[in-house]
Amino acid sequence: VEATLAALDERLAALAWDEAEFAAIDARHAAANAATRQAELDLVRATAAVDGAEKSHAQALARQAEHAARAKMAAQLARDLDRWNELDRAIGELRTELNQQLRPDLRERASVFLAELTRNRYDDLELDEDYVATVVEDGEAKPVISGGEEDVLYLALRLAISEMIADRAGQPLSLLVLDEVFGSLDEERRLAVVDLLRAVGDRFPQVIVISHIDALRDAFDRVVRVNYDVERGVSTVHDDTPELVDVAE
């Protein structure tokens, strides 16, 4: 044992052991380990930051591409809007020009119908830029008229417009439909309307009049009556044309 102990002492002496130096080396080793761990943590953070930066870069590129696409679309829409505005302006000018051309013709045609419908009491009317009609009596505008006269005025305009369409189409309109045009008219004006509708038979071969006035039943060539059963919720249609009386009998 003593020999072994002596050998160990010799080896220890050969190592030149210094406790203070060992403590310093150990401290530097611990510091190096701590620095390594800190470097590893910094590396993880840096890697995460790089990943985040790459994602942000990719998102920025995507937003840039989207912005470019929207800018391109906005430019196209702006060009389209300019074209539509120009087209709207041109159509507005065309409408104004057509109105200026059509209004005198429509006024003249409607005046003729108005004279026939009112037994020449009113033989003229005026149309403003908005096509609002005003009856002219003795050379002066008559802004206030009765409901029946107003209906006659609008009927004259409807007939005039239909006639104008037929003339400009180059062929007659085969059908004219009038809905409740007798409601506010007195008997004289009702008969005037019926006479006028017969007079325009060469321009409107077939005229259909919808009315609830039974007194006019004998004034038309063909009468079709529609009845509605409230309880059953059913409409029935039947021929109600007056029978012609043979004078020879």
Side-chain angles (χ1 to χ4, degrees):
V1 172
E2 289 178 357
T4 301
L5 182 60
L8 292 175
D9 287 338
E10 291 178 359
R11 292 177 60 187
L12 182 61
L15 290 174
W17 167 258
D18 187 344
E19 185 176 356
E21 185 178 358
F22 174 79
I25 294 173
D26 187 60
R28 289 197 299 271
H29 181 266
N33 287 336
T36 301
R37 289 193 296 270
Q38 184 62 44
E40 290 175 348
L41 291 175
D42 292 342
L43 177 61
V44 171
R45 295 192 186 98
T47 302
V50 170
D51 291 340
E54 290 178 348
K55 291 180 180 179
S56 298
H57 181 256
Q59 293 175 353
L61 291 177
R63 288 194 296 269
Q64 184 179 11
E66 182 181 0
H67 177 73
R70 290 185 176 181
K72 183 178 180 180
M73 181 181 297
Q76 181 62 42
L77 290 176
R79 290 191 294 270
D80 292 342
L81 180 61
D82 291 339
R83 286 196 295 269
W84 285 114
N85 287 335
E86 180 64 21
L87 181 60
D88 181 69
R89 183 193 62 78
I91 291 178
E93 293 179 354
L94 177 61
R95 180 170 55 248
T96 301
E97 183 179 354
L98 290 177
N99 286 339
Q100 292 175 352
Q101 296 176 359
L102 294 177
R103 191 163 62 242
D105 188 16
L106 180 60
R107 170 187 169 278
E108 182 178 352
R109 293 173 186 266
S111 297
V112 173
F113 285 120
L114 182 64
E116 296 184 24
L117 289 171
T118 60
R119 310 291 188 184
N120 291 318
R121 177 181 177 181
Y122 303 124
D123 58 0
D124 193 10
L125 60 86
E126 292 290 344
L127 294 174
D128 62 14
E129 293 182 357
D130 296 325
Y131 281 76
V132 176
T134 303
V135 173
V136 177
E137 185 177 13
D138 297 331
E140 296 184 0
K142 183 181 179 182
V144 180
I145 57 178
S146 66
E149 292 173 337
E150 186 178 22
D151 288 344
V152 169
L153 174 61
Y154 290 138
L155 176 59
L157 285 172
R158 291 169 65 181
L159 293 173
I161 292 173
S162 300
E163 184 182 61
M164 181 182 296
I165 293 174
D167 289 346
R168 291 178 179 272
Q171 56 184 3
L173 294 179
S174 60
L175 176 64
L176 176 65
V177 180
L178 300 174
D179 186 10
E180 296 295 347
V181 295
F182 300 104
S184 59
L185 305 181
D186 54 28
E187 184 177 359
E188 181 181 0
R189 287 200 175 93
R190 290 173 184 171
L191 294 177
V193 171
V194 173
D195 292 341
L196 177 60
L197 295 178
R198 292 189 178 279
V200 297
D202 57 334
R203 285 169 283 183
F204 305 102
Q206 185 178 23
V207 179
I208 296 178
V209 180
I210 302 172
S211 177
H212 290 83
I213 301 176
D214 287 336
L216 295 171
R217 176 172 174 269
D218 297 334
F220 296 96
D221 301 331
R222 181 77 178 273
V223 178
V224 177
R225 186 178 297 275
V226 180
N227 295 322
Y228 179 70
D229 190 329
V230 179
E231 295 181 357
R232 297 169 55 199
V234 176
S235 297
T236 58
V237 181
H238 63 277
D239 191 347
D240 196 28
T241 303
E243 296 183 1
L244 298 176
V245 179
D246 191 349
V247 179
E249 294 180 357

